[in-house]
C-alpha cells in the first residue's frame, strides 16, 4: 500500500506537492492531488478505515485520512514527507 503526504502549498501559483513513497509529485492544485490519491487507493485495493494519506493543514499540522478521505482516528502515518524532497518534473506538474 502506498502512503501519501500532501504538503500545504506556499502559494497557489506554485501548485502543490504530493509525496508518494518518498517521491515528490507536483499537481496544479490540491483537488488534482487528492483525485490521484483516490484513484491509486482503489487501484491498490485499500480498505476503508486504513490510513493512507497525511495532509498538512494551513495551520501547519498534519492529519491522517483513509482511502475515502475520512479522518483517521489513530496515529499519523510514519514520517516520510520531506520539505527538501520537492523537485518538479520537466513540465513542473503531473
Amino acid at each position: 500500500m502506498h502512503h501519501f503526504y500532501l504538503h500545504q502549498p506556499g502559494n497557489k501559483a506554485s501548485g502543490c506537492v504530493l509525496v508518494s513513497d518518498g517521491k515528490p509529485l507536483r499537481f496544479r492544485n490540491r483537488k488534482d492531488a487528492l483525485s490521484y490519491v483516490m484513484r491509486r487507493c482503489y487501484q491498490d485495493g485499500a480498505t476503508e478505515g486504513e490510513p493512507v494519506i497525511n495532509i498538512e493543514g494551513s495551520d501547519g499540522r498534519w492529519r491522517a485520512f483513509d482511502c475515502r478521505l475520512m479522518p483517521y482516528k489513530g496515529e499519523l502515518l510514519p514520517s516520510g514527507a520531506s520539505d527538501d524532497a520537492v523537485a518538479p518534473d520537466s513540465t513542473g506538474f503531473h
Side-chain angles (χ1 to χ4, degrees):
M1 174 59 56
H2 292 274
H3 293 146
F4 302 94
Y5 304 86
L6 183 58
H7 288 271
Q8 177 68 29
N11 62 54
K12 291 188 181 206
S14 66
C16 76
V17 175
L18 175 71
V19 178
S20 173
D21 292 327
K23 298 175 187 167
L25 306 171
R26 281 199 174 274
F27 293 87
R28 295 188 194 285
N29 54 53
R30 288 187 121 186
K31 181 180 175 184
D32 290 347
L34 291 172
S35 292
Y36 174 82
V37 169
M38 297 289 290
R39 282 192 311 274
R40 289 300 304 267
C41 286
Y42 287 106
Q43 288 172 354
D44 293 348
T47 59
E48 292 182 6
E50 181 180 353
V52 296
I53 182 170
N54 285 339
I55 299 176
E56 182 181 20
S58 60
D59 60 1
R61 291 183 57 201
W62 288 89
R63 294 168 180 88
F65 294 85
D66 69 11
C67 64
R68 301 165 299 161
L69 297 181
M70 298 295 293
Y72 180 69
K73 307 252 187 265
E75 299 289 319
L76 290 174
L77 294 170
S79 179
S82 169
D83 289 333
D84 60 333
V86 178
D89 65 359
S90 60
T91 64
F93 294 99
H94 279 272

